[in-house]
Amino acid sequence: MKSLAGESDYDDVLEDCREKLFRFEKKLHRRPLREGRPRDYIKKLSGQLLERWAVYDR
Amino acid sequence: MADNPNILFINTDQQTWNAVSAYGNPYVHTPYIDQLQKNGISFMKSYCTDPVCAPARASWVTGLYTSENGVPFNGGRMHDDIPDLGQILTSNGYHAIHCGKWHVEDRPMRKSFHNLYTGKRDIGACGGEYYDRVSTHAVIDFLDCYDETIPFYLQVGLVNPHDICEYLHNHEHKSIPGPVEQGILAVEDLPPLPKNFKYDEREILLQKMLHRDEETSIHAPILNGIRDWTENQWRFLSWNHYRFVEAVDQQIGLILNTLQNSRFKNNTLIIFAADHGESSGCHQAFQKFSLYEESIHVPFIVATLNDQLDVPKGVLDTEHFVSGVDLVPTVLDYAGIKVPGGVQGLSLKPLIERKSTDIDSKTKDCEKHEKKTSAENTIPWRDFVYVESNFWGRAIVTERFKYIMEYRPKQKENFFPPWTGYRLYWIGTALRYSERPMGNEKPCR
């Protein structure tokens, strides 16, 4: 499996897929997480990930 | 209601779609899942809604995606006002029964289902070696003794091959010699390394971080323990996974044999699926969590052990994308119950019955068959499947591409998925199916 990110020949594919995904997500009935453990968990793990973005996202 | 079929939903935990011998995998032997394949229709493009236990299972019982039902990761809490499959079936005249692993915290299973396992706590994420036997015994007892006139829906949550996680936990912070080095197995006993063992350096960022960076991995201790694994040790991981698959297959065999000899044989629909897959060294990853194929692509079979229900035998459907959200509408359709508004999935029943009709027509009259398979016989269906991965990204899988969009931080405070109320920042990546992992792309029958 090969990543096509950044290959200009596939710009149209990326655009098409992106549009499909956004169009689909508009139909979802997303709801905020319940207070308590779920929100606490997401904040904790988000923090861990954020610290590493600076290392990898160059 | 008494004429409606019984429905037996057997599910396994952490079984990749191709860990089935009937699909051409020579490294695993699953005679009983193969029996289901021979007696039903296999949906070869079936995907979980989220490659983690609780989210995938929450979708199974709600027909909703995980960002809708409140369970985007293990420990998420389902919204109280969302009805689950047990409640819907019970209020419409079915006897809804659960046995085995549940793992949808904060949704009391015993209020929605009759539970065959008598312990006070639900069966969790490990211990397949013993809990699966307990569950199987309970199911066998049920099939032997059930004497009510109303139909039943019985879901059996088998834990294995999830015990592969326990195998990995054994490696935390320590080095265990491989079985080849110990002389227990010969090299030729092991499955080969997956073709995609060497990952693409341009893979999406979070997958790279989560699987190879101990600071961000959910299972950092495991990562520490396996960092210096030899190729044979990775191959032994895959070998182990297949042995756990075979262990759960034996339990499925016991259940099928009991059903075969019960009075329910002729009126029971069987659905078989796995909640999510297992990486087994693909992309040098372990367990699930990622949006790679091995993690999200799962088996899904609808079968019967009789000729009375309209289910084709030995068919591989390679055309239609199936999602975990399809379980609720499919079960309700077979049960003759109206699907509640808002449910995202699609019933597979029309696809199954059309396949059956196609085969029947083909046998009787080839000319008519050709006419029936024309456009007029096409059932409207999705042309891609949508998968969420906890809170760090989501993907669509189309016929030729997989497109992954990560949640990416622009500023610290908005590194959250949009449905938590924070701003979304995204990155797009498309993965092309240029190289399938081990297993036949077009499995043999």
Side-chain angles (χ1 to χ4, degrees):
Chain A
M1 191 177 281
K2 179 185 177 188
S3 173
L4 302 175
E7 292 193 14
S8 57
D9 288 350
Y10 290 92
D11 282 351
D12 290 347
V13 174
L14 279 173
E15 186 57 41
D16 180 54
C17 288
R18 186 182 300 138
E19 191 180 315
K20 276 192 169 113
L21 184 137
F22 279 144
R23 199 183 317 132
F24 181 85
E25 290 187 330
K26 277 184 183 169
K27 295 178 187 171
L28 296 179
H29 305 288
R30 285 175 156 163
R31 297 167 67 173
L33 291 173
R34 289 171 66 180
E35 295 295 335
R37 182 155 40 95
R39 275 187 179 269
D40 296 344
Y41 179 89
I42 207 168
K43 282 181 181 173
K44 182 183 170 205
L45 195 48
S46 291
Q48 288 175 325
L49 291 171
L50 278 165
E51 289 175 9
R52 304 303 290 171
W53 272 96
V55 176
Y56 283 96
D57 191 16
R58 291 171 180 164
Chain B
M1 181 56 68
D3 293 334
N4 286 335
N6 304 302
I7 300 168
L8 173 61
F9 174 40
I10 302 174
N11 54 80
T12 58
D13 192 323
Q14 204 148 324
Q15 182 174 0
T16 313
W17 92 98
N18 65 355
V20 175
S21 48
Y23 299 158
N25 187 332
Y27 305 105
V28 65
H29 183 54
T30 53
Y32 300 108
I33 300 173
D34 294 0
Q35 185 185 351
L36 291 173
Q37 182 272 322
K38 286 176 192 144
N39 284 283
I41 175 169
S42 296
F43 289 94
M44 303 304 288
K45 294 199 295 194
S46 170
Y47 289 81
C48 63
T49 57
D50 193 315
V52 188
C53 298
R57 288 160 189 274
S59 288
W60 272 348
V61 296
T62 61
L64 300 175
Y65 290 94
T66 60
S67 56
E68 298 178 302
N69 62 29
V71 192
F73 45 82
N74 289 346
R77 298 168 64 197
M78 191 184 290
H79 297 290
D80 290 333
D81 59 337
I82 296 174
D84 62 52
L85 188 55
Q87 294 168 343
I88 299 167
L89 287 163
T90 301
S91 61
N92 285 278
Y94 259 74
H95 194 165
I97 304 147
H98 175 87
C99 186
K101 180 169 177 174
W102 172 245
H103 208 174
V104 186
E105 291 100 337
D106 287 336
R107 173 56 57 115
M109 176 261 290
R110 288 163 180 77
K111 289 187 177 176
S112 302
F113 295 86
H114 173 77
N115 184 28
L116 295 186
Y117 176 68
T118 56
K120 289 181 181 175
R121 291 185 63 182
D122 298 340
I123 293 174
C126 57
E129 182 61 25
Y130 35 90
Y131 288 133
D132 284 352
R133 293 167 195 236
V134 172
S135 296
T136 300
H137 288 167
V139 170
I140 288 172
D141 283 348
F142 170 82
L143 291 171
D144 281 341
C145 301
Y146 186 72
D147 58 1
E148 294 182 29
T149 54
I150 62 172
F152 64 80
Y153 166 81
L154 168 58
Q155 57 181 32
V156 187
L158 297 169
V159 176
N160 262 326
H162 189 283
D163 278 1
I164 190 65
C165 295
E166 307 317 307
Y167 169 76
L168 281 163
H169 284 302
N170 287 335
H171 290 77
E172 291 180 2
H173 302 300
K174 63 186 174 192
S175 176
I176 300 174
V180 174
E181 290 77 6
Q182 294 183 78
I184 297 170
L185 290 174
V187 175
E188 52 268 28
D189 292 333
L190 303 176
L193 278 179
K195 287 180 181 174
N196 53 4
F197 178 71
K198 290 183 179 175
Y199 54 91
D200 190 333
E201 285 292 343
R202 296 171 300 174
E203 69 183 349
I204 60 172
L205 200 55
L206 278 171
Q207 309 298 3
K208 187 189 294 186
M209 289 162 63
L210 288 163
H211 284 296
R212 285 177 276 282
D213 183 340
E214 64 188 74
E215 298 295 322
T216 56
S217 173
I218 288 174
H219 292 301
I222 294 176
L223 194 59
N224 260 329
I226 69 172
R227 193 179 297 283
D228 299 320
W229 263 10
T230 63
E231 290 191 351
N232 281 346
Q233 285 174 301
W234 280 107
R235 290 169 65 187
F236 188 55
L237 173 67
S238 181
W239 185 95
N240 263 281
H241 181 234
Y242 291 147
R243 301 296 80 77
F244 289 125
V245 171
E246 289 170 352
V248 79
D249 184 70
Q250 291 294 314
Q251 302 305 314
I252 292 169
L254 292 170
I255 294 170
L256 294 182
N257 286 340
T258 305
L259 179 64
Q260 179 84 34
N261 296 308
S262 77
R263 67 187 182 91
F264 307 112
K265 174 190 169 189
N266 288 330
N267 195 29
T268 299
L269 184 83
I270 307 166
I271 301 174
F272 169 75
D275 60 352
H276 53 74
E278 155 64 37
S279 300
S280 269
C282 299
H283 308 277
Q284 291 180 42
F286 57 90
Q287 293 197 6
K288 50 270 186 178
F289 309 115
S290 80
L291 288 163
Y292 286 128
E293 282 293 278
E294 298 76 15
S295 187
I296 62 174
H297 193 170
V298 291
F300 196 108
I301 302 172
V302 179
T304 65
L305 300 181
N306 60 68
D307 295 319
Q308 294 185 18
L309 294 172
D310 194 7
V311 177
K313 306 274 187 188
V315 169
L316 303 179
D317 182 311
T318 56
E319 180 184 354
H320 299 95
F321 283 108
V322 168
S323 164
V325 290
D326 296 335
L327 181 74
V328 166
T330 301
V331 168
L332 295 182
D333 199 1
Y334 273 102
I337 298 169
K338 188 182 176 191
V339 179
V343 167
Q344 293 284 356
L346 300 168
S347 170
L348 303 178
K349 190 176 177 218
L351 298 181
I352 294 165
E353 292 184 343
R354 189 201 65 178
K355 285 277 184 188
S356 189
T357 306
D358 283 355
I359 291 166
D360 198 35
S361 304
K362 193 173 185 178
T363 308
K364 290 174 185 168
D365 187 333
C366 289
E367 193 179 335
K368 281 183 186 171
H369 169 70
E370 285 168 15
K371 286 177 184 170
K372 278 189 77 67
T373 53
S374 64
E376 69 189 57
N377 199 31
T378 301
I379 296 167
W381 202 255
R382 59 172 75 92
D383 61 357
F384 63 87
V385 71
Y386 177 78
V387 185
E388 296 172 319
S389 176
N390 283 293
F391 63 92
W392 47 73
R394 68 272 203 218
I396 59 169
V397 183
T398 71
E399 191 63 42
R400 292 183 61 213
F401 297 98
K402 176 180 291 171
Y403 177 77
I404 298 173
M405 186 175 285
E406 294 179 321
Y407 302 123
R408 189 179 187 186
K410 188 176 182 184
Q411 301 171 56
K412 265 198 168 190
E413 61 269 26
N414 60 19
F415 184 56
F416 294 95
W419 37 272
T420 54
Y422 297 88
R423 186 178 164 195
L424 166 72
Y425 195 75
W426 57 264
I427 182 172
T429 302
L431 295 173
R432 179 177 53 181
Y433 293 131
S434 59
E435 187 180 303
R436 284 277 184 185
M438 190 278 301
N440 294 337
E441 191 162 2
K442 291 183 178 176
C444 57
R445 294 189 178 190

